[in-house]
Amino acid sequence: MRLRINVTRKVFNMKRSVIDILDLSVAEIDSLIQTATDIMDHPAKYAHACDGKILATLFFEPSTRTRLSFESAMYSLGGHVISVPGSSNSSVVKGESVADTAHTVSCYADIIAMRHPQEGAALVLANAASIPIINAGDGGHCHPTQTLADLLTIHREMGHFDHLTIGVCGDLKYGRTVHSLIEAMSRYPGVRFVMISPETLRAPTFVRDALNRKQIPYRETTSLEEAMPELDILYMTRVQRERFSDPELYERVKDSYILTPEKLRTAKSDMRVMHPLPRVNEISVQVDEDPRACYFKQMLYGRYMRMALILMLLGDTEFPAPRPLIYDRFVCKNHRCISQTEQELRHAFYQVGDSDIYRCVYCEAKAK
Ligand code: NCD
């Protein structure tokens, strides 16, 4: 199979990016799952699909799985990969803006996967680039391609997405994978969430407000033991040490949840344990032997979903209408937001439904 590049896209410089998991419709996610499954069954069919195409990986934060799976995905499609080995080696340390980085890399590659410590950085990159952008994690905001790996895992392990009770446990405040997973799973009927975290690491308001608005049932608890028996999926996460400004607070919460075989005794026999990895100590290695543990499969599925996504974005012809934005009426106060540092970036907010709530388009902090 060889990719057919749409001529209009090349001529008019249009492109499709994935910054948030909601940039993909439910139908597109179904189609990515089908493609990923076909790739797993018939890898040779795709071995030249991206011949001559170049993926640039820009990782300004540590990564093992995400970066290697993107690179392995592109090589498996017959394409090439270029990258800047680490943030300390790129012009970003010389003070180059994200937008200028986008102009630069657009000259050398056909698609970019970027991870950046600031919330909204991937959106700034996409707005300035002339090639498709994939958000490989923007600060504590979101991580759509981890969610693609998670969705394929759920699909293969459970056979369906609807009517699942999903427990998300650990650092729900800074855990970007959880934010994207909740957004994605909220679109399937009968799904409910149990959010298990210390009080200081509750999910941010942009996640909880969206659930309230869509009337999706969820509850919050501090006790993993109490939640365990009702869960179909337990999604564990690491406490994100790098996002804490107060190291003492990190020390206080870092060992809040440690999953052990004993704690799994009250779980359903067909519950699945997931984790985006890396784990620090929140899942005992003894759990790895449990047939319900599927975090190592998640890693493998990530590679195939990233292959499917690269194929889709390099060949895509449909462009959703941009979200209407309000410029310069509000100023984002979130110190982790890209709008705090990016050169001459205008503050841009979107209205939540028809409410009087406005959120920063980059990091989703509420306008005050
Ligand atoms: C996650 C991330 O980077 O957000 N890792 C990953 O991409 N698989 C989770 C984490 O770092 O805790």
Side-chain angles (χ1 to χ4, degrees):
M1 203 187 94
R2 197 170 284 262
L3 196 67
R4 283 209 319 274
I5 298 291
N6 178 276
V7 176
T8 323
R9 181 167 69 79
K10 284 192 116 173
V11 173
F12 295 108
N13 213 15
M14 297 193 297
K15 40 93 194 191
R16 172 93 187 266
S17 292
V18 172
I19 306 305
D20 188 291
I21 193 67
L22 298 182
D23 291 336
L24 296 166
S25 67
V26 168
E28 284 172 325
I29 285 180
D30 286 348
S31 141
L32 288 172
I33 288 174
Q34 272 177 30
T35 308
T37 307
D38 198 49
I39 295 171
M40 284 191 265
D41 294 343
H42 310 284
K45 206 167 115 188
Y46 295 86
H48 297 285
C50 287
D51 274 358
K53 298 281 160 219
I54 298 175
L55 164 76
T57 49
L58 304 180
F59 278 67
F60 301 109
E61 265 192 349
S63 171
T64 305
R65 273 151 293 270
T66 306
R67 180 177 182 149
L68 289 182
S69 67
F70 264 116
E71 298 186 351
S72 151
M74 193 53 165
Y75 283 122
S76 306
L77 292 167
H80 306 279
V81 179
I82 57 173
S83 64
V84 183
S87 52
S88 54
N89 294 317
S90 82
S91 289
V92 170
V93 287
K94 300 181 192 166
E96 185 163 50
S97 66
V98 172
D100 283 357
T101 304
H103 297 308
T104 310
V105 184
S106 297
C107 302
Y108 307 135
D110 299 288
I111 185 165
I112 301 175
M114 183 179 82
R115 170 170 289 185
H116 196 283
Q118 279 172 286
E119 300 170 11
L123 181 59
V124 171
L125 191 81
N127 287 342
S130 58
I131 57 176
I133 303 303
I134 304 173
N135 181 6
D138 60 329
H141 183 213
C142 55
H143 192 348
T145 64
Q146 178 60 45
T147 300
L148 292 179
D150 300 342
L151 292 175
L152 182 58
T153 308
I154 295 172
H155 181 81
R156 290 181 77 89
E157 293 290 314
M158 314 295 287
H160 59 97
F161 291 126
D162 53 342
H163 297 94
L164 294 173
T165 297
I166 302 171
V168 285
C169 177
D171 185 346
L172 310 186
K173 179 177 183 185
Y174 298 121
R176 54 193 173 194
T177 62
V178 169
H179 306 159
S180 295
L181 180 70
I182 291 176
E183 279 189 329
M185 290 303 295
S186 297
R187 297 192 289 188
Y188 299 99
V191 167
R192 46 191 292 276
F193 298 96
V194 183
M195 301 191 192
I196 308 149
S197 74
E199 185 62 31
T200 48
L201 297 180
R202 288 172 71 200
T205 62
F206 81 86
V207 173
R208 285 182 282 134
D209 287 357
L211 292 175
N212 291 334
R213 209 173 54 252
K214 295 181 209 155
Q215 298 186 317
I216 293 165
Y218 73 91
R219 67 185 182 88
E220 296 179 276
T221 174
T222 54
S223 166
L224 175 57
E225 287 82 348
E226 177 256 314
M228 191 70 87
E230 67 185 293
L231 304 179
D232 297 307
I233 291 171
L234 171 59
Y235 193 96
M236 296 294 294
T237 61
R238 150 184 95 86
V239 178
Q240 310 274 303
R241 181 212 292 256
E242 65 277 29
R243 313 254 178 253
F244 282 73
S245 44
D246 175 0
E248 266 175 40
L249 180 58
Y250 171 75
E251 288 301 319
R252 275 209 297 280
V253 292
K254 67 175 188 191
D255 294 328
S256 297
Y257 304 101
I258 299 176
L259 185 64
T260 58
E262 294 68 52
K263 288 194 187 140
L264 275 172
R265 274 203 199 118
T266 60
K268 290 183 182 171
S269 58
D270 60 351
M271 187 191 79
R272 293 293 189 277
V273 182
M274 297 176 66
H275 191 306
L277 302 176
R279 84 175 132 191
V280 180
N281 64 350
E282 57 281 346
I283 301 182
S284 156
V285 288
Q286 295 169 55
V287 174
D288 298 357
E289 303 302 319
D290 191 301
R292 292 168 288 191
C294 51
Y295 28 90
F296 296 133
K297 289 184 201 165
Q298 260 169 282
M299 291 193 288
L300 180 68
Y301 294 148
R303 174 180 175 204
Y304 296 112
M305 282 304 258
R306 290 183 174 106
M307 285 174 79
L309 182 65
I310 291 170
L311 276 174
M312 180 188 135
L313 293 181
L314 286 179
D316 196 61
T317 55
E318 282 181 31
F319 303 92
R323 175 151 63 176
L325 296 179
I326 297 142
Y327 288 97
D328 299 331
R329 192 194 314 169
F330 308 103
V331 172
C332 183
K333 303 273 173 49
N334 172 9
H335 67 274
R336 298 183 304 271
C337 179
I338 189 70
S339 61
Q340 306 294 318
T341 53
E342 182 74 3
Q343 188 185 0
E344 293 170 43
L345 184 70
R346 290 175 73 189
H347 288 273
F349 284 72
Y350 67 91
Q351 186 175 11
V352 179
D354 50 14
S355 71
D356 54 6
I357 297 171
Y358 295 85
R359 289 189 177 277
C360 171
V361 72
Y362 301 108
C363 70
E364 301 188 71
K366 217 184 253 186
K368 300 230 169 80

